Amino acid sequence: MSFITRGFSGRGRDRDPRLPPGQTLVEDWPVLSAGPTPDIDPADWEFVVATENGRHTWNWDEMHALGVEDITVDIHCVTHWSKLEMAWRGVPLDKIFENVETSYDYVMAHSYGGYTTNVPLDELLDGQAWIAFEADGEPLTPEHGGPARLLVPHLYFWKSAKWVRGLVMMPSDDPGFWEQNGYNLHGDPWAEERYW
Amino acid sequence: MTHRPAAWHAATVRSVSRETASARRIEFEVPTWPGNDAGAHLDVRLTAPDGYQASRSYSIASSGDSRRVVLAVDEVPGGEVSPFLVHELQPGDQVEIHGPLGAYFVWTPGDERPVQLIAGGSGVVPLYAMAELHDREQDSTPFRLLYSVRTPDDRFFASELEQIAARGRLEASYVYTRAVPAGWHSAPGRVTRDALAAATWPVDRRPRIYVCGPTPFVETVADWLTELGHEPRAIRTERFGGG
Amino acid sequence: MKLDGNAIAGPLAEVFGRDVTLAVMTCSGCHESAVIARAMVYVTAMGSVARCPTCDRALLVLGPGPGARIRFSMPGVSSLELTPDEPDAA
Ligand SMILES: [Zn+2]
């Protein structure tokens, strides 16, 4: 059973060529919280990359010393909002993987609080992804994933894991949290890869 | 408790009226409604001509076997469903409703333990349903209500609650957070632990406690009640938000 | 938005065919039990996540799918106890 309620139209939906299909432009920055917001002091923050060969770790200062970049990117949330030309600062994953040896092709990103999301390694390299600390000129707030979040702007924003704490290399493309619960393994907004 | 399976129903608006400056009372006629316990809620689903759908949960202010279902909806500014319900919906319009829902947050007559209702803002709606049923059924359980609300004019079911209290079937106390009536005993402000302890049943009366309101209100009050010594199992909570 | 298990009574009734807010879930992380109504529920535009009131583990996830499809999983529940849903059962 389903029928139309007179006069109800939902929110307005507009178009811009920079918007992938099904997306709407927002000026604010919506927060999507699927759990408690962790409060992490950068002094306690540690980032780990785990491979079949061992672990690599960086503390806050060591991560920054890899080289911080300024970038401007568009972000697209699977919940139909997009934000254009956002200024970010972060360390490209190319720097992190310079000294990491692995034969595995897939990555599970892990966050403080237990969130996970999967991404193929080749979609994190060649200037496609960062460990980000700042957005719009301000340090990332805890609500937006601070002190550090993964930034993978060419995929739906759930791949840009908030409160990121490490990457675990995997031989196969195992699903992360939302990917186990109906969302697409890959998540390309231009192909509208929302669900599976 | 009567068996009342949850299902989708077509609901036709019978009447709408002003509840407060930001809220509206809506009375639906639902021919297939199985009735509902006091405190239950339902989901309202709206469908646009292009197929877009939005749904939200609302507590039911009415109870019993009636095919008449009453909601009191507070407008959440910038919300998608509540502004439509408060400003656009008219008698004769139809919406889909799913319910009755929520066998946890209900009160049924016939239990001797005193009842303590604690409301924050529009969280009073399911608690009003309990107080109204208690009054209508001439139930002998002692009832108290502590209602935290912005101003006297923001009270939901203000005259109904006053009438129930005047009949001696409810002890109601109010905490005003923004503005108080002339001559009120205290300045506007949030409920405190001491005010909570003073206005509610003491622990040795072993009340059944129902708390409904915005999440921070419910969590603060529930923590205080536990600290005061009420058994956690006797405290039933329902958090609401979103519009 | 953080709410509680009452907030997902509707979608859960679509999954189970009845109200289950009084069903008892046992958490596979901390082994504590609680009725669904007492779970901490984070309602988001991607879906709703019901977490253990003791340890915050994700117990139930209700995700949307294309159209009106509901996707339901219980990643953190080691057992779910449903009381009989019979006429006049308390
Ligand atoms: Zn647990």
Side-chain angles (χ1 to χ4, degrees), chain B residues 164-231:
Chain B
I164 296 170
R167 286 193 283 273
R169 308 197 52 80
L170 176 71
E171 287 178 60
S173 25
Y174 298 88
V175 173
Y176 297 112
T177 59
R178 299 270 177 80
V180 297
W184 192 246
H185 53 73
S186 60
R190 292 186 180 186
V191 67
T192 62
R193 198 181 120 148
D194 287 347
L196 179 77
T200 54
W201 293 110
V203 172
D204 60 13
R205 295 293 305 272
R206 300 187 63 243
R208 291 192 187 282
I209 306 173
Y210 295 85
V211 188
C212 186
T215 300
F217 175 86
V218 168
E219 298 194 341
T220 302
V221 166
D223 285 349
W224 284 340
L225 291 166
T226 308
E227 288 168 24
L228 290 169
H230 294 281
E231 338 164 46

Side-chain angles (χ1 to χ4, degrees), chain B residues 18-66:
Chain B
R18 183 184 189 276
E19 188 65 45
T20 70
S22 63
R24 187 193 227 187
R25 194 180 305 192
I26 305 169
E27 191 177 319
F28 292 99
E29 180 72 28
V30 191
T32 54
W33 190 248
N36 61 273
D37 291 315
H41 67 273
L42 52 74
D43 290 350
V44 172
R45 183 164 72 189
L46 305 177
T47 302
D50 65 357
Y52 177 78
Q53 292 187 326
S55 65
R56 293 293 185 277
S57 295
Y58 295 100
S59 288
I60 307 168
S62 50
S63 66
D65 295 327
S66 174

